[in-house]
Amino acid sequence: MTAIRVAIVDDQQLVRMGLRMMLDAQPDIDVVAEAADGHEAVAVAAAGGIDVILMDVRMPGLDGIAATERISALEGAPRILVLTTFDLDEYAFAALRAGASGFLLKDARPPELLGAIRSVHAGDAALAPRVTARMIEQFMDAPAPADEAKIDVLTPREREILIAIGEGMSNDELAAHFFLSISTVKTHISRLLQKLDARDRVQLVILAYETGLVGR
């Protein structure tokens, strides 16, 4: 089994040490790098050899949101899981739009964090439940965007699956709801990602709301 290669980005050394101790105790996770600010994080990501980055938000120099945007633009960029003490909507939304695959608070329990790392490495989303709930509320209150042309390329079934993803259904729930096998669900999701030029499941959720398929 190949271990998930993780980089920890946080300006507090004690936080990095605590995370490293927990992650290195896992047989399928290997902490291969650390960084104390956004500039270091970009350099570490550009050097390669990393699968998932745990990214703090508030850091001196270049913050985690700006670093996430720069890293996401790299070819073969690692997945980014934003991990912060600040339970604020603007950070969650900015991180996801910048290219993060997940957003967790630092008060998350170890099993939740470990599960999130494994999920984003597998290409799924990982969002703190209370952040997800408020994200849905905000999109429902926001005006619908004018341009919905990007979803015109979807088949009726693909639209249905995108809506279900936007509503938060997991792969198992999608399979049960549409009477499909898991492999077929994964095929549909792969096609959605390709057709919509989306990086991962998080971007599909955002797109479902931005185009008005969900929340109107």
Side-chain angles (χ1 to χ4, degrees):
M1 179 178 61
T2 302
I4 302 170
R5 299 166 298 179
V6 174
I8 301 171
V9 181
D10 197 292
D11 62 333
Q12 297 184 41
Q13 185 177 5
L14 287 177
V15 172
R16 297 199 306 271
M17 289 176 59
L19 288 171
R20 176 183 278 275
M21 289 177 62
M22 178 180 65
L23 298 180
D24 277 342
Q26 305 301 310
D28 62 333
I29 296 176
D30 184 17
V31 177
V32 297
E34 294 184 18
D37 60 40
H39 290 294
E40 290 183 10
V42 174
V44 164
I50 297 171
D51 299 311
V52 177
I53 295 178
L54 294 184
M55 181 75 75
D56 190 21
V57 173
R58 289 191 178 182
M59 295 181 291
L62 190 70
D63 66 30
I65 306 302
T68 294
E69 188 169 14
R70 294 188 188 184
I71 291 170
S72 297
L74 297 173
E75 184 176 354
R79 304 285 181 180
I80 297 175
L81 177 61
V82 172
L83 191 63
T84 180
T85 55
F86 300 98
D87 185 9
L88 299 174
D89 292 336
E90 60 265 30
Y91 289 135
F93 305 146
L96 298 177
R97 286 200 168 94
S101 297
F103 186 101
L104 283 183
L105 304 178
K106 286 182 178 176
D107 63 1
R109 296 179 178 179
E112 184 180 0
L113 174 58
L114 295 171
I117 291 171
R118 294 171 180 127
S119 291
V120 299
H121 178 252
D124 291 330
L127 302 176
R130 60 183 183 268
V131 174
T132 305
R134 289 202 313 278
M135 183 172 74
I136 292 172
E137 290 174 2
Q138 175 152 327
F139 273 111
M140 289 181 70
D141 293 338
D147 184 13
E148 299 179 8
K150 61 177 62 178
I151 60 173
D152 288 344
V153 298
L154 302 182
T155 66
R157 174 46 62 92
E158 288 169 346
R159 279 180 175 245
E160 292 175 345
I161 291 176
L162 179 58
I163 290 170
I165 290 173
E167 291 173 342
M169 285 192 186
S170 66
N171 284 2
D172 288 341
E173 290 170 336
L174 289 170
H177 182 76
F178 291 105
F179 303 101
L180 300 172
S181 68
I182 291 294
S183 61
T184 301
V185 167
K186 290 181 178 179
T187 298
H188 279 300
I189 292 174
S190 296
R191 288 175 180 167
L192 285 171
L193 292 172
Q194 182 178 14
K195 284 188 174 183
L196 299 175
D197 194 25
R199 176 178 171 83
D200 53 30
R201 199 184 192 101
V202 169
Q203 291 191 347
L204 292 180
V205 173
I206 292 174
L207 187 60
Y209 281 93
E210 287 182 336
T211 56
L213 287 179
V214 179
R216 306 298 178 211

PDB file of all heavy atoms in Angstrom, residues 60-75:
ATOM      1  N   PRO A  60       1.524  34.789   8.159  1.00  0.00           N
ATOM      2  CA  PRO A  60       2.226  35.993   7.703  1.00  0.00           C
ATOM      3  C   PRO A  60       2.680  35.844   6.259  1.00  0.00           C
ATOM      4  O   PRO A  60       2.827  34.738   5.748  1.00  0.00           O
ATOM      5  CB  PRO A  60       3.430  36.060   8.662  1.00  0.00           C
ATOM      6  CG  PRO A  60       3.643  34.648   9.104  1.00  0.00           C
ATOM      7  CD  PRO A  60       2.268  34.041   9.190  1.00  0.00           C
ATOM      8  N   GLY A  61       2.905  36.985   5.627  1.00  0.00           N
ATOM      9  CA  GLY A  61       3.360  36.955   4.242  1.00  0.00           C
ATOM     10  C   GLY A  61       2.228  36.622   3.299  1.00  0.00           C
ATOM     11  O   GLY A  61       1.370  37.454   3.018  1.00  0.00           O
ATOM     12  N   LEU A  62       2.194  35.394   2.829  1.00  0.00           N
ATOM     13  CA  LEU A  62       1.140  34.927   1.921  1.00  0.00           C
ATOM     14  C   LEU A  62       0.173  34.054   2.707  1.00  0.00           C
ATOM     15  O   LEU A  62       0.584  33.050   3.297  1.00  0.00           O
ATOM     16  CB  LEU A  62       1.767  34.140   0.772  1.00  0.00           C
ATOM     17  CG  LEU A  62       0.855  33.766  -0.397  1.00  0.00           C
ATOM     18  CD1 LEU A  62       0.494  35.016  -1.197  1.00  0.00           C
ATOM     19  CD2 LEU A  62       1.549  32.747  -1.294  1.00  0.00           C
ATOM     20  N   ASP A  63      -1.108  34.428   2.737  1.00  0.00           N
ATOM     21  CA  ASP A  63      -2.057  33.644   3.536  1.00  0.00           C
ATOM     22  C   ASP A  63      -2.453  32.353   2.822  1.00  0.00           C
ATOM     23  O   ASP A  63      -2.080  32.114   1.671  1.00  0.00           O
ATOM     24  CB  ASP A  63      -3.287  34.473   3.908  1.00  0.00           C
ATOM     25  CG  ASP A  63      -4.155  34.858   2.709  1.00  0.00           C
ATOM     26  OD1 ASP A  63      -4.200  34.097   1.721  1.00  0.00           O
ATOM     27  OD2 ASP A  63      -4.806  35.914   2.757  1.00  0.00           O
ATOM     28  N   GLY A  64      -3.207  31.511   3.533  1.00  0.00           N
ATOM     29  CA  GLY A  64      -3.548  30.197   3.010  1.00  0.00           C
ATOM     30  C   GLY A  64      -4.448  30.230   1.794  1.00  0.00           C
ATOM     31  O   GLY A  64      -4.364  29.338   0.938  1.00  0.00           O
ATOM     32  N   ILE A  65      -5.311  31.233   1.694  1.00  0.00           N
ATOM     33  CA  ILE A  65      -6.212  31.324   0.533  1.00  0.00           C
ATOM     34  C   ILE A  65      -5.416  31.637  -0.731  1.00  0.00           C
ATOM     35  O   ILE A  65      -5.573  30.986  -1.768  1.00  0.00           O
ATOM     36  CB  ILE A  65      -7.291  32.400   0.753  1.00  0.00           C
ATOM     37  CG1 ILE A  65      -8.052  32.149   2.062  1.00  0.00           C
ATOM     38  CG2 ILE A  65      -8.244  32.430  -0.430  1.00  0.00           C
ATOM     39  CD1 ILE A  65      -8.716  30.811   2.158  1.00  0.00           C
ATOM     40  N   ALA A  66      -4.542  32.635  -0.641  1.00  0.00           N
ATOM     41  CA  ALA A  66      -3.719  33.000  -1.800  1.00  0.00           C
ATOM     42  C   ALA A  66      -2.782  31.858  -2.173  1.00  0.00           C
ATOM     43  O   ALA A  66      -2.568  31.577  -3.361  1.00  0.00           O
ATOM     44  CB  ALA A  66      -2.926  34.269  -1.495  1.00  0.00           C
ATOM     45  N   ALA A  67      -2.225  31.185  -1.165  1.00  0.00           N
ATOM     46  CA  ALA A  67      -1.337  30.052  -1.441  1.00  0.00           C
ATOM     47  C   ALA A  67      -2.096  28.927  -2.126  1.00  0.00           C
ATOM     48  O   ALA A  67      -1.585  28.286  -3.052  1.00  0.00           O
ATOM     49  CB  ALA A  67      -0.712  29.556  -0.139  1.00  0.00           C
ATOM     50  N   THR A  68      -3.323  28.676  -1.671  1.00  0.00           N
ATOM     51  CA  THR A  68      -4.156  27.646  -2.283  1.00  0.00           C
ATOM     52  C   THR A  68      -4.399  27.943  -3.756  1.00  0.00           C
ATOM     53  O   THR A  68      -4.317  27.052  -4.617  1.00  0.00           O
ATOM     54  CB  THR A  68      -5.497  27.530  -1.542  1.00  0.00           C
ATOM     55  OG1 THR A  68      -5.258  27.057  -0.215  1.00  0.00           O
ATOM     56  CG2 THR A  68      -6.455  26.583  -2.258  1.00  0.00           C
ATOM     57  N   GLU A  69      -4.685  29.206  -4.066  1.00  0.00           N
ATOM     58  CA  GLU A  69      -4.940  29.587  -5.455  1.00  0.00           C
ATOM     59  C   GLU A  69      -3.702  29.370  -6.319  1.00  0.00           C
ATOM     60  O   GLU A  69      -3.790  28.851  -7.432  1.00  0.00           O
ATOM     61  CB  GLU A  69      -5.380  31.048  -5.517  1.00  0.00           C
ATOM     62  CG  GLU A  69      -5.850  31.489  -6.885  1.00  0.00           C
ATOM     63  CD  GLU A  69      -6.514  32.852  -6.859  1.00  0.00           C
ATOM     64  OE1 GLU A  69      -6.387  33.559  -5.848  1.00  0.00           O
ATOM     65  OE2 GLU A  69      -7.172  33.210  -7.858  1.00  0.00           O
ATOM     66  N   ARG A  70      -2.538  29.731  -5.799  1.00  0.00           N
ATOM     67  CA  ARG A  70      -1.305  29.559  -6.572  1.00  0.00           C
ATOM     68  C   ARG A  70      -0.959  28.086  -6.752  1.00  0.00           C
ATOM     69  O   ARG A  70      -0.552  27.658  -7.833  1.00  0.00           O
ATOM     70  CB  ARG A  70      -0.150  30.285  -5.876  1.00  0.00           C
ATOM     71  CG  ARG A  70      -0.295  31.792  -5.848  1.00  0.00           C
ATOM     72  CD  ARG A  70       0.964  32.460  -5.321  1.00  0.00           C
ATOM     73  NE  ARG A  70       0.755  33.887  -5.108  1.00  0.00           N
ATOM     74  CZ  ARG A  70       1.710  34.737  -4.717  1.00  0.00           C
ATOM     75  NH1 ARG A  70       2.939  34.269  -4.515  1.00  0.00           N
ATOM     76  NH2 ARG A  70       1.448  36.005  -4.539  1.00  0.00           N
ATOM     77  N   ILE A  71      -1.137  27.315  -5.702  1.00  0.00           N
ATOM     78  CA  ILE A  71      -0.816  25.888  -5.784  1.00  0.00           C
ATOM     79  C   ILE A  71      -1.766  25.168  -6.738  1.00  0.00           C
ATOM     80  O   ILE A  71      -1.359  24.306  -7.514  1.00  0.00           O
ATOM     81  CB  ILE A  71      -0.851  25.258  -4.384  1.00  0.00           C
ATOM     82  CG1 ILE A  71       0.305  25.787  -3.540  1.00  0.00           C
ATOM     83  CG2 ILE A  71      -0.789  23.732  -4.463  1.00  0.00           C
ATOM     84  CD1 ILE A  71       0.218  25.414  -2.079  1.00  0.00           C
ATOM     85  N   SER A  72      -3.039  25.533  -6.688  1.00  0.00           N
ATOM     86  CA  SER A  72      -4.034  24.880  -7.544  1.00  0.00           C
ATOM     87  C   SER A  72      -3.763  25.118  -9.022  1.00  0.00           C
ATOM     88  O   SER A  72      -4.217  24.350  -9.873  1.00  0.00           O
ATOM     89  CB  SER A  72      -5.443  25.368  -7.187  1.00  0.00           C
ATOM     90  OG  SER A  72      -5.774  25.015  -5.866  1.00  0.00           O
ATOM     91  N   ALA A  73      -3.041  26.188  -9.334  1.00  0.00           N
ATOM     92  CA  ALA A  73      -2.721  26.496 -10.726  1.00  0.00           C
ATOM     93  C   ALA A  73      -1.523  25.698 -11.239  1.00  0.00           C
ATOM     94  O   ALA A  73      -1.253  25.698 -12.441  1.00  0.00           O
ATOM     95  CB  ALA A  73      -2.439  27.991 -10.865  1.00  0.00           C
ATOM     96  N   LEU A  74      -0.820  25.005 -10.338  1.00  0.00           N
ATOM     97  CA  LEU A  74       0.342  24.218 -10.744  1.00  0.00           C
ATOM     98  C   LEU A  74      -0.091  22.946 -11.479  1.00  0.00           C
ATOM     99  O   LEU A  74      -1.129  22.373 -11.176  1.00  0.00           O
ATOM    100  CB  LEU A  74       1.173  23.825  -9.518  1.00  0.00           C
ATOM    101  CG  LEU A  74       1.802  24.943  -8.705  1.00  0.00           C
ATOM    102  CD1 LEU A  74       2.440  24.371  -7.437  1.00  0.00           C
ATOM    103  CD2 LEU A  74       2.848  25.693  -9.529  1.00  0.00           C
ATOM    104  N   GLU A  75       0.707  22.522 -12.416  1.00  0.00           N
ATOM    105  CA  GLU A  75       0.430  21.255 -13.106  1.00  0.00           C
ATOM    106  C   GLU A  75       0.630  20.100 -12.129  1.00  0.00           C
ATOM    107  O   GLU A  75       1.640  20.032 -11.425  1.00  0.00           O
ATOM    108  CB  GLU A  75       1.353  21.092 -14.314  1.00  0.00           C
ATOM    109  CG  GLU A  75       1.054  19.854 -15.144  1.00  0.00           C
ATOM    110  CD  GLU A  75       1.925  19.770 -16.382  1.00  0.00           C
ATOM    111  OE1 GLU A  75       2.681  20.738 -16.648  1.00  0.00           O
ATOM    112  OE2 GLU A  75       1.859  18.742 -17.078  1.00  0.00           O
TER     113      GLU A  75
END
